[in-house]
Amino acid sequence: MTTTEAGLSIGEVAERTGLSVHALRFYERENLLVGPVRRTSGGRRRYTSLDVEWLLICVKLRESGMPLADLKHFAELVRRGPGNEAERLRLLDAHRERVDAQIQALEECRSVIAWKVGVYAEHLARGEAGGLWDPTR
């Protein structure tokens, strides 16, 4: 029996997704997976390639700041099956808008940082960096 036929162990899924074994158990406990995790006769978890694909999506949604409640709702919608695609789209679109706002804010921060780096680099190159933002003056 191949690994694919037998399913993937929790350690293999952790390696493929970048999630810890503890995080995978948390995802299962919080009902974030779209299907039940199969178990061996000895009670060991066995995951499918579809589980891994779903978890990779979950990782990106969480890394991009999707609230756990929204991820739970999204997983529930997917588990329900066809017929709620418009609601899924609304949820994902709202999250995309939050991510776009975060990107805009980070770009503004990067601009200020780049300006400040330029100020320091210019003063250091001229040998005039002493006293820049010196609170004792």
Side-chain angles (χ1 to χ4, degrees), residues 62 66-74 91:
R62 288 294 290 151
M66 179 178 272
L68 192 56
D70 287 355
L71 185 55
K72 284 182 180 185
H73 184 59
F74 185 55
L91 193 149

Side-chain angles (χ1 to χ4, degrees), residues 71-87:
L71 185 55
K72 284 182 180 185
H73 184 59
F74 185 55
E76 174 58 31
L77 291 171
V78 172
R79 274 193 301 278
R80 286 185 203 159
N84 59 30
E85 293 81 3
E87 190 174 354

Side-chain angles (χ1 to χ4, degrees), residues 82-133:
N84 59 30
E85 293 81 3
E87 190 174 354
R88 293 183 212 177
L89 175 59
R90 280 191 299 275
L91 193 149
L92 290 171
D93 194 43
H95 181 60
R96 182 190 52 79
E97 287 177 6
R98 286 190 303 267
V99 169
D100 287 346
Q102 290 172 339
I103 290 169
Q104 177 62 37
L106 286 172
E107 287 174 347
E108 291 170 9
C109 292
R110 182 177 55 193
S111 177
V112 169
I113 293 166
W115 167 73
K116 203 63 195 155
V117 164
V119 168
Y120 275 84
E122 182 182 324
H123 280 82
L124 283 169
R126 289 194 321 240
E128 301 172 354
L132 276 176
W133 289 76

